[in-house]
Amino acid sequence: MDTPPTFPCDAAQGGPQAFEPFLQAMPMPCVVMTPQMVIISANPAYLRLAGRSAADILGRNIFDAFPSNPHDPHADGAANLRASLLRVCATGRADKMELQRYDVATQEHGGDFQTRYWKIQNTPVPGADGAVAYLLHMVEELTDFYLPRKNTLRDVLANLADALRDLKSESEIGHAASAILGEALGTSRVGYGTIDHASDTLGVVRDWCAPGVGTLAGTTELRSYGSFIDDLKRDRFIAIANVDHDPRTAPAAAMLRARDAAAFVNVPVVEDGVLVAVLFVNDARERHWTAEELVLVKEVAARIRIAAERARGAAALSQSEAKFRIITDAMPQMVWSTLPDGYHDYYNEQWYRYTGVAPGATNGTGWNDIFHPDDRARAWDAWHDSLASGKVYEIQYRLRHHSGVYRWVLGRALPIRDQAGGITRWMGTCTDIDDQKRAEDELRRLGVRKDEFLAMLAHELRNPLAPISSAAQLLMLGGSDPQRVQKSAGVIQRQVRHLTNLVDDLLDVSRVTRGLVQLDRRVLDLREVLHGAIEQVRPAIEARHHQLALALPPAPLPVHGDRTRLVQVVANLLANAAKYTAPGGHLGLSLQLENGQACITVSDDGIGMSADLLPHVFELFVQAERTPDRAQGGLGLGLALVQRIAQLHGGSARARSGGLGQGSTLTVCLPLSSAAAHDSVPVQAGAADTLPPAGASLPTLLLLDDHVDGAQMLGALLRARGFEVTIVHDGASVLRLAAARHFDVYILDIGLPGMDGYELARRLRASADTARARLLALTGYGKAEDRQRALDAGFDHHLVKPVDLPALLALLVSPPQS
């Protein structure tokens, strides 16, 4: 015989190793388990009884070491033992199993099973914190006593098992078992009732009675019939052959006989130390109960208890499931659940509403059929990995919506574990994240576009800066070659103009897209607008030798719009077509009436647009792919302005292309004006480089700018035009000089350290010496609100850097306003 080893333990009072010698010496078979039902010690008596060695069972779950008989579909020994052990863990109290059949495998890992009958007691061993630290499992062998009588008892118990299997309530179970037991024993009355602990009363819904015997249905005060209630409360089995001879019942013997209870057996049902129910067997005559009869009564009582617990559990589970369904059906998420092996057996209503499948259609593995084909293998692999490892399942995949469209969802599932750590179910949810997923994709796309725009902006800024830098270095070489100076100045002027246009475009698109522009709307003939746009773009068209086909209606098409902005729209479309069409290519511009709207169409036979680009062509910073042989430049702003200006006029813009190399067609449609006539808006010509007339008296100027180079260069230009200019770089110097001498005009920067230009203007206006001087704001702040703020501070005019020199000269030589 193997001697089982001792085991380490840190429980209170030294744990089970403190009584290990006593355990090994006990004649009663017993084992010690953890609350997870893992065997950690077994004495020799138990090993002999089970026919196993210590090495076979130590360290194993008891239900793994002693599995249920797979050949007997009605075997309930393992289930009953598990229920008893769980009660001990839950209550911290001992639990008895009067008679239990438990088939034991004759070999480890299976083989033949031998029928055994045991009486079992499971006792908790508390730890230092009072919680159950170990379980002491003791058995008493009853097989030799039971087997000789097995035919009668087996028949009764078999009938009992069949009768109790489908019953749902405790009263039904008690009555059915009582009837079978009463018939088998040939007694007077058998019943099962609950105990009111406070009043010592027995409540019976229905009992079994022999013919002529009265029922105990209702409430009975047990203490009126003797003191045996005290033994029942102590969880003691009672078997009385003659109530006259037992001191617990003798005082009330006459009353008992009158109730057909001259002899009786009572089996207490105790839970958490409290008497909760009694199985009673009454006989109208004196009866000496046999051992076989008492075993049967105890076994029936145990079966009633187990069946009642199962019924209560099933009722609680049914109620819990009903509440669960109510809760999950009210949730906006899809909820599902599976068995431990991953078999899907539950979906809430939201799942069926979302997917549109018939109830039950996705049970088992049917759910995989509504996944996107590209996601099925990946989802299966992740699910199988979670089933094998017990890890949380989390994955994003596309699920077929009831509309037929696949939408992105987040699938997530958690394992539900029992006290032993085994997985009993998986609970999962599916959350629609399609909008979020698409938003994330859009943010990533916008991020890419932002990076592309910054790269384009850097390229476009470097292009003009390079010749400016070269021209400046050429001028630094000195010399008196006027042709070199004139050429360098021309380069610088053209490139600065180009930089200014880039900045103006950026500011313009910002104002337009944010709705900050105010349209000067009048009734216009769109034919005249198209001619104005052609004049703007004609140099670019002629430079690339394009052929422009113009098609206009014979009659006016009036619209209510801002002429400048509409010319900008058509000019942008024509410039875009010219930019992306090879030299010598063909452009088309037409105006026609379409569905009650005036539609302007610009077409070309240029590079065309891909299917990927076409939906985004009117978005900010979007351009066709840049290649080394197509360096037309630009920031991808023109078409975004086209669409937004069209929308501000109540119109729309659309684009069409057959693909790369197939040319493009862009159309802007505007609502017609109901006015019969239209007003024309003359195009204002740009101001010439105004020079003061010979001999004219020029105003004295004070120029303020904290950018030293900018101030010096502008001052030099003004001096070259004959003006007397004093240059300073801070507001305090302005106030000091203004107090010392007279200046006709103050040209002031706005963004200054310390005192800004707004505050300086207010102080100048507040002084009697400078109140009538002309104040010109020259700043990098060019928004409409910036201009208004400057005027409110006292400035007469607002100019934006880099300054338009002809406009500045025109202001300086014009007479001051009174």
Side-chain angles (χ1 to χ4, degrees):
M1 180 192 308
D2 295 334
T3 301
T6 58
F7 50 89
C9 177
D10 57 357
Q13 293 85 36
Q17 78 262 24
F19 54 82
E20 182 72 11
F22 173 74
L23 180 72
Q24 297 300 319
M26 286 179 63
M28 177 175 286
C30 58
V31 298
V32 177
M33 292 177 281
T34 68
Q36 290 74 39
M37 304 175 196
V38 175
I39 301 172
I40 57 176
S41 185
N43 71 352
Y46 186 89
L47 295 173
R48 286 194 300 271
L49 178 64
R52 306 289 283 276
S53 68
D56 288 344
I57 64 174
L58 293 186
R60 299 175 64 186
N61 187 283
I62 191 170
F63 300 108
D64 179 37
F66 299 99
S68 184
N69 185 354
H71 309 299
D72 183 358
H74 302 300
D76 58 1
N80 293 340
L81 176 57
R82 185 189 298 273
S84 174
L85 293 171
L86 289 175
R87 281 195 298 269
V88 174
C89 291
T91 66
R93 299 178 183 275
D95 191 85
K96 291 190 299 184
M97 302 173 66
E98 293 294 344
L99 178 65
Q100 180 61 57
R101 173 180 171 174
Y102 202 124
D103 295 351
V104 178
T106 56
Q107 302 175 13
E108 184 189 6
H109 307 304
D112 296 332
F113 280 78
Q114 185 179 49
T115 300
R116 310 293 289 273
Y117 289 89
W118 294 346
K119 179 179 180 180
I120 299 171
Q121 177 157 326
N122 298 307
T123 304
V125 179
D129 59 357
V132 177
Y134 299 97
L135 300 170
L136 183 62
H137 173 70
M138 295 180 291
V139 300
E140 178 183 352
E141 176 68 69
L142 296 177
T143 304
D144 292 341
F145 169 80
Y146 178 74
L147 283 180
R149 304 166 176 80
K150 68 179 181 179
N151 289 337
T152 301
L153 295 180
R154 182 178 63 191
D155 293 343
V156 172
L157 296 179
N159 293 336
L160 184 63
D162 291 339
L164 303 186
R165 183 170 294 118
D166 298 325
L167 298 182
K168 305 299 183 183
S169 71
E170 191 169 0
S171 61
E172 290 177 337
I173 292 169
H175 177 261
S178 298
I180 292 174
L181 183 59
E183 293 286 353
L185 296 179
T187 189
S188 301
R189 183 192 300 114
V190 180
Y192 182 86
T194 57
I195 295 292
D196 184 323
H197 188 71
S199 61
D200 292 341
T201 57
L202 173 69
V204 178
V205 175
R206 186 182 179 192
D207 53 10
W208 175 89
C209 300
V213 176
T215 180
L216 291 185
T219 301
T220 302
E221 295 181 0
L222 293 182
R223 195 165 294 279
S224 300
Y225 295 90
S227 61
F228 61 91
I229 179 65
D230 296 324
D231 283 343
L232 291 174
K233 287 184 174 183
R234 297 186 187 100
D235 197 15
R236 292 176 181 174
F237 177 81
I238 297 175
I240 297 176
N242 189 323
V243 293
D244 292 315
H245 301 156
D246 191 292
R248 295 170 294 184
T249 57
M255 294 176 60
L256 287 168
R257 286 181 179 277
R259 302 296 298 268
D260 297 305
F264 65 84
V265 175
N266 283 353
V267 183
V269 178
V270 176
E271 294 180 359
D272 298 331
V274 177
L275 179 66
V276 296
V278 172
L279 173 66
F280 57 89
V281 180
N282 299 159
D283 201 296
R285 296 170 296 176
E286 179 178 347
R287 181 166 180 166
H288 295 274
W289 308 97
T290 67
E292 179 180 349
E293 290 172 338
L294 296 179
V295 167
L296 179 59
V297 172
K298 291 180 180 179
E299 177 63 13
V300 170
R303 298 290 179 100
I304 292 175
R305 175 182 180 178
I306 293 170
E309 287 181 349
R310 287 179 178 173
R312 288 194 297 269
L317 179 61
S318 178
Q319 185 178 16
S320 176
E321 287 181 348
K323 291 180 179 178
F324 171 78
R325 290 176 184 273
I326 292 173
I327 293 172
T328 58
D329 286 343
M331 293 176 64
Q333 289 176 301
M334 293 168 274
V335 180
W336 48 270
S337 182
T338 81
L339 299 177
D341 62 359
Y343 183 92
H344 287 66
D345 62 352
Y346 170 75
Y347 296 92
N348 70 342
E349 286 299 319
Q350 179 65 14
W351 168 270
Y352 294 113
R353 285 195 295 267
Y354 186 91
T355 61
V357 300
T362 49
N363 285 0
T365 59
W367 54 272
N368 200 46
D369 294 338
I370 60 175
F371 280 25
H372 192 284
D374 294 343
D375 298 336
R376 290 175 186 173
R378 180 171 57 89
W380 262 116
D381 291 344
W383 180 231
H384 288 159
D385 180 64
S386 292
L387 291 177
S389 64
K391 295 187 299 185
V392 172
Y393 171 73
E394 185 168 327
I395 188 174
Q396 295 180 8
Y397 48 76
R398 285 161 291 182
L399 191 66
R400 191 175 66 234
H401 188 255
H402 64 77
S403 63
V405 176
Y406 285 98
R407 294 180 62 86
W408 282 99
V409 301
L410 170 64
R412 200 165 189 274
L414 298 173
I416 308 300
R417 300 180 182 273
D418 58 21
Q419 289 184 333
I423 296 176
T424 60
R425 289 197 74 81
W426 287 84
M427 292 300 302
T429 59
C430 289
T431 305
D432 188 307
I433 59 169
D434 195 73
D435 293 341
Q436 173 186 335
K437 187 81 170 176
R438 296 183 189 279
E440 291 172 353
D441 292 343
E442 179 64 14
L443 285 175
R444 280 190 289 270
R445 190 176 68 84
L446 291 175
V448 171
R449 281 173 45 196
K450 178 200 69 176
D451 294 340
E452 292 174 348
F453 164 70
L454 292 176
M456 286 189 294
L457 180 61
H459 176 270
E460 295 300 319
L461 291 176
R462 289 190 183 101
N463 277 345
L465 288 175
I468 290 174
S469 176
S470 298
Q473 293 181 50
L474 187 60
L475 291 173
M476 290 173 62
L477 294 177
S480 57
D481 185 352
Q483 187 175 1
R484 181 200 300 169
V485 172
Q486 185 68 24
K487 185 176 182 179
S488 298
V491 168
I492 292 174
Q493 189 176 36
R494 285 193 301 274
Q495 299 306 319
V496 167
R497 188 179 302 115
H498 179 62
L499 284 171
T500 302
N501 290 337
L502 284 177
V503 174
D504 287 345
D505 285 347
L506 284 171
L507 294 175
D508 193 36
V509 77
S510 174
R511 288 192 295 267
V512 171
T513 54
R514 289 187 296 156
L516 300 181
V517 296
Q518 292 184 350
L519 299 179
D520 182 13
R521 302 184 69 165
R522 305 183 187 183
V523 179
L524 306 170
D525 182 359
L526 274 183
R527 297 178 301 175
E528 189 272 332
V529 170
L530 267 60
H531 283 298
I534 291 172
E535 289 306 310
Q536 285 193 15
V537 186
R538 188 181 300 280
I541 294 175
E542 292 177 348
R544 295 175 67 83
H545 305 291
H546 291 139
Q547 298 182 35
L548 174 62
L550 179 63
L552 298 178
L557 286 182
V559 298
H560 191 244
D562 186 317
R563 181 187 186 281
T564 302
R565 287 298 182 181
L566 293 179
V567 168
Q568 181 184 13
V569 164
V570 181
N572 280 354
L573 292 176
L574 282 172
N576 201 69
K579 181 187 297 185
Y580 295 108
T581 300
H586 299 80
L587 310 180
L589 174 60
S590 64
L591 175 63
Q592 62 277 338
L593 186 63
E594 183 178 309
N595 297 324
Q597 290 189 312
C599 293
I600 305 164
T601 300
V602 175
S603 59
D604 63 66
D605 56 3
I607 66 172
M609 289 180 278
S610 67
D612 292 337
L613 175 63
L614 202 57
H616 308 290
V617 71
F618 290 109
E619 296 176 11
L620 280 173
F621 315 130
V622 170
Q623 284 188 316
E625 184 179 358
R626 285 174 174 254
T627 58
D629 63 340
R630 190 192 66 76
Q632 294 88 348
L635 297 176
L637 306 176
L639 294 184
L641 278 169
V642 165
Q643 184 186 56
R644 187 59 182 140
I645 292 173
Q647 291 171 343
L648 289 174
H649 283 80
S652 62
R654 63 179 185 268
R656 180 169 52 85
S657 176
L660 294 178
Q662 302 298 311
S664 302
T665 301
L666 291 98
T667 301
V668 170
C669 292
L670 303 170
L672 288 174
S673 171
S674 59
H678 64 274
D679 299 325
S680 62
V681 182
V683 180
Q684 297 180 356
D689 187 354
T690 305
L691 293 175
S697 176
L698 300 179
T700 55
L701 312 178
L702 191 149
L703 173 60
L704 165 64
D705 196 330
D706 63 338
H707 192 283
V708 176
D709 287 345
Q712 294 296 336
M713 292 304 298
L714 180 56
L717 283 172
L718 293 172
R719 286 170 183 150
R721 295 314 194 268
F723 291 94
E724 178 186 346
V725 183
T726 300
I727 299 174
V728 295
H729 305 298
D730 61 83
S733 298
V734 171
L735 295 177
R736 186 174 61 254
L737 288 173
R741 56 170 295 191
H742 174 78
F743 294 96
D744 298 308
V745 179
Y746 291 82
I747 304 174
L748 307 178
D749 190 11
I750 296 296
L752 299 167
M755 186 189 311
D756 63 21
Y758 300 126
E759 177 60 25
L760 184 56
R762 284 189 286 268
R763 293 195 184 189
L764 290 172
R765 288 293 182 220
S767 171
D769 295 332
T770 55
R772 299 183 63 80
R774 278 195 288 171
L775 306 184
L776 277 59
L778 181 58
T779 176
Y781 300 117
K783 295 187 294 184
E785 54 264 36
D786 298 322
R787 179 179 182 278
Q788 188 60 49
R789 187 178 178 188
L791 297 178
D792 292 343
F795 284 101
D796 296 293
H797 300 282
H798 179 269
L799 303 174
V800 179
K801 295 179 181 179
V803 68
D804 182 345
L805 185 61
L808 175 59
L809 292 176
L811 287 174
L812 293 177
V813 300
S814 63
Q817 297 177 355
S818 57

